[in-house]
Amino acid sequence: MNVLSWLLTAILVLNMTLATVIIFRERRDIGSTWAWLLVLYFIPLLGFVLYLFFAQNYRKTRLFEWKEIDRTGLREAAIEQLNSVGAGEYEIRNSAANDYRDLIVMHLKARQALYTENNEVELLLDGREKFDRLFQDIAEARDHIHIQYYIIQKDDLGGRLIRALAEKARAGVTVRLLYDELGSRRLNRRSLQEFRDAGGIAVAFFPSKFRLINFRLNYRNHRKLVVIDGKIGYVGGFNVGDEYLGLDPKFGYWRDTHLRMRGEAVHAMQARFILDWNQASHDKVHYRTELFPESEAESGTAGVQIVASGPESKLEYIKNGYVKMISSAKHSILIQTPYFVPDAGFLDALRIAALSGVQVSIMIPDKPDHPFIYWATMSYIGVMLKAGVSVYLYRNGFIHAKTIVVDEEIASVGTANMDVRSFKLNFEVNAFLYDKEVSGKLADAFREDINVSEALTLEQYGQRSRRIRIKESVSRLLSPIL
């Protein structure tokens, strides 16, 4: 009995100490602070373990060094561009971009995201279409392939990708493969052996230092980037796996949005990959001109800024971009996201836009892939419905796209969901697009998706059962740490 009493006292002291750390030392936002206090209070021993694995604060940690990127001239160019735009001396030819100079300035000032407008942007809305294009570009690579995914499954599509990369490595092309250890946990030494034997280099991001123990588990690299010969870049929502081809019977058709780009924006994607690679690998990538070739003359006219954010960032750069876009809207806001678990700032921005007469439309999946997050999503959807937002439940399978389109003039497509995890915890990357043609195509895709979706009304939402309401309430309470 004395041993049990001593153990309970020790747990209580440990929890009080940890609670003190959370409140006074970590200086987290209020929402996550209360969520962690609830976890520690109601499940004291397990809560302590969960805190060790999921609650480290990386905002004070310097993970990426810019020394090599500085040699590319990208940072210097961004600073010069910021000064030129601020002085009104920079000519922006794209009409949509010219109307949103303040958004461009914000990304330049906060993230030094260089604005370019000689870009050709191709929308890829279907998994088979996306991977057909990707495999074709891989086959035609001549110098290097830099490829980064959160999830690479050990299935037919994953195996096909590894074999294609191995073939290029054997042909003398430098191939670097970066994957997230948690998202791609089924990858192992055996599945990558052919690739490595062929001369390819594969590295895991934030790998476990001890088997089954990883104290950085909560901070995942959710980015999906491919750069081929420094000329072609891919970014968007698709990972690598058979489910992304619509072959998983649980989800059915997989609707996502990815971009294939040519032009100077690819240089920023290249820089982002190199930073991530050099953080994860001992085999550092050093600057050489072949990695940043001059853009080809046939590139298009779309304005693009590549913006990255992560837990090491001082600000939530992508979320701030979303909020700025929302506040700039005059007519319409179209959002597609698999998870809608926003923070107060994002939620208020949308609510204000809707109450101001802007037509706000949000599309989410009709079926959950993560039930806990789904119920949290539905709780916030209720807030949107009460503000007059149009909500659509996608029923033709599963929608995984992460897009926002404002006034059919500007848009953002990338890896960041509209949730707290993407805003604060994951390493993400988005393309902010300033182009009426591209934005119009994204708006057209949204309208096409409405044809296979069901409009959710406030009346229907109010008819949900008490059991579902409880699930929503609990999930929402813990949403800051989901």
Side-chain angles (χ1 to χ4, degrees), residues 38-208:
L38 285 170
V39 169
L40 291 169
Y41 180 79
F42 285 107
I43 45 175
L45 188 57
L46 179 59
F48 174 71
V49 175
L50 291 173
Y51 185 84
L52 288 178
F53 280 91
F54 292 103
Q56 292 188 67
N57 189 347
Y58 271 85
R59 292 195 177 275
K60 298 178 182 178
T61 304
R62 186 175 178 83
L63 295 176
F64 304 104
E65 296 293 339
W66 281 91
K67 187 177 296 183
E68 283 295 326
I69 300 301
D70 283 346
R71 294 185 59 193
T72 69
L74 288 176
R75 280 189 86 186
E76 182 179 349
I79 294 171
E80 290 180 0
Q81 189 178 74
L82 174 61
N83 294 333
S84 179
V85 172
E89 300 170 353
Y90 189 87
E91 180 186 3
I92 297 178
R93 297 185 299 275
N94 187 294
S95 60
N98 201 43
D99 291 337
Y100 295 89
R101 295 174 76 97
D102 51 351
L103 178 60
I104 293 173
V105 167
M106 187 191 79
H107 286 314
L108 278 167
K109 185 177 295 185
R111 199 51 167 164
Q112 295 179 330
L114 189 68
Y115 170 77
T116 60
E117 58 182 21
N118 63 332
N119 301 291
E120 175 188 304
V121 179
E122 179 181 353
L123 298 184
L124 301 170
L125 309 179
D126 174 82
R128 295 183 185 277
E129 178 188 23
K130 184 256 179 172
F131 284 104
D132 285 347
R133 292 291 277 147
L134 177 61
F135 282 117
Q136 179 182 348
D137 288 332
I138 288 174
E140 296 174 358
R142 294 292 176 264
D143 183 75
H144 65 273
I145 299 171
H146 289 162
I147 187 163
Q148 173 180 3
Y149 281 99
Y150 173 61
I151 295 174
I152 301 177
Q153 298 283 24
K154 190 180 176 183
D155 57 15
D156 288 344
L157 183 62
R160 183 184 167 198
L161 176 66
I162 298 300
R163 290 191 297 273
L165 295 176
E167 181 178 346
K168 296 307 295 186
R170 275 191 292 269
V173 174
T174 301
V175 184
R176 296 182 175 92
L177 172 62
L178 179 61
Y179 60 94
D180 185 84
E181 186 178 68
L182 177 65
S184 304
R185 56 190 173 276
R186 294 180 183 175
L187 280 186
N188 53 36
R189 184 177 296 275
R190 183 177 179 181
S191 57
L192 292 171
Q193 194 61 51
E194 177 188 359
F195 173 68
R196 287 179 168 136
D197 288 345
I201 312 168
V203 175
F205 191 91
F206 275 6
S208 303

Side-chain angles (χ1 to χ4, degrees), residues 64 66 75 78 104-114 223 272 275 305-310 312-315 317-318 427-428:
F64 304 104
W66 281 91
R75 280 189 86 186
I104 293 173
V105 167
M106 187 191 79
H107 286 314
L108 278 167
K109 185 177 295 185
R111 199 51 167 164
Q112 295 179 330
L114 189 68
R223 294 169 183 147
R272 181 69 261 167
L275 282 172
Q305 281 179 297
I306 301 298
V307 180
S309 66
E312 90 292 357
S313 304
K314 293 181 179 180
L315 298 174
Y317 299 113
I318 293 176
F427 297 90
E428 308 280 7

Side-chain angles (χ1 to χ4, degrees), residues 277-393:
W277 178 269
N278 285 349
Q279 192 283 327
S281 175
H282 296 296
D283 178 33
K284 307 298 183 185
V285 177
H286 299 292
Y287 171 74
R288 57 188 179 92
T289 56
E290 291 81 2
L291 298 176
F292 298 90
E294 291 187 11
S295 296
E296 298 173 349
E298 68 268 19
S299 296
T301 60
V304 179
Q305 281 179 297
I306 301 298
V307 180
S309 66
E312 90 292 357
S313 304
K314 293 181 179 180
L315 298 174
E316 297 156 18
Y317 299 113
I318 293 176
K319 186 205 83 171
N320 290 346
Y322 287 159
V323 171
K324 180 63 175 174
M325 290 174 68
I326 292 167
S327 66
S328 301
K330 298 293 188 294
H331 308 291
S332 65
I333 300 170
L334 306 176
I335 292 175
Q336 291 180 314
T337 179
Y339 319 117
F340 186 73
V341 188
D343 61 9
F346 187 91
L347 195 69
D348 285 343
L350 278 177
R351 187 157 40 191
I352 291 169
L355 294 173
S356 301
V358 176
Q359 179 58 52
V360 181
S361 300
I362 300 175
M363 187 176 293
I364 60 172
D366 181 48
K367 61 179 72 173
D369 63 337
H370 300 293
F372 207 44
I373 301 175
Y374 178 79
W375 296 120
T377 290
M378 293 307 295
S379 75
Y380 287 102
I381 286 299
V383 176
M384 292 290 91
L385 287 169
K386 291 174 183 176
V389 172
S390 299
V391 176
Y392 299 95
L393 304 178

